[in-house]
Amino acid sequence: MGVRHAREYADILTDLTAAVSAIPNSYTFFEMTREEWEELGETERAEVMEALADDVFYGLGQQADIRVGDGAVVYVPKRHVIEVVQGGNVIQVVRLI
């Protein structure tokens, strides 16, 4: 299946990394505790969030929505976007074209 996109993957990854970073407790996707997250330096946290965005992007090719921390990431193929949802509201949109 896969997530269809026309934008450069690197650009999508940058936007998606920022979007998942805005989700409270997003680090729990990797089963990290708050203490483990807080022990990481800024560079390590950025690397974890980029890995999260990468995993989510490829995961969306198999299922249309993925729980991340206190929110979810949803692939909307008809609109060519990935939506980041929190509390039932779309908080960010990542364009795929």
Side-chain angles (χ1 to χ4, degrees):
M1 186 162 123
V3 174
R4 296 179 54 111
H5 59 90
R7 285 179 68 203
E8 290 291 327
Y9 178 70
D11 296 335
I12 294 169
L13 184 61
T14 297
D15 292 349
L16 189 55
T17 298
V20 297
S21 295
I23 300 172
N25 301 313
S26 55
Y27 56 84
T28 60
F29 181 83
F30 290 124
E31 299 180 2
M32 294 178 73
T33 64
R34 178 178 300 278
E35 294 77 23
E36 291 170 326
W37 177 251
E38 290 174 352
E39 288 176 5
L40 298 178
E42 194 169 319
T43 301
E44 293 168 311
R45 286 182 184 190
E47 290 171 355
V48 168
M49 287 297 108
E50 185 174 296
L52 172 57
D54 187 58
D55 287 357
V56 165
F57 182 84
Y58 286 102
L60 289 171
Q62 301 300 313
Q63 63 187 65
D65 62 280
I66 297 174
R67 296 282 311 157
V68 175
D70 295 341
V73 181
V74 180
Y75 174 41
V76 186
K78 289 183 179 184
R79 292 186 46 225
H80 307 287
V81 298
I82 294 172
E83 297 177 340
V84 177
V85 180
Q86 185 181 351
N89 297 313
V90 175
I91 60 169
Q92 292 196 39
V93 175
V94 176
R95 294 179 305 103
L96 299 171
I97 57 173

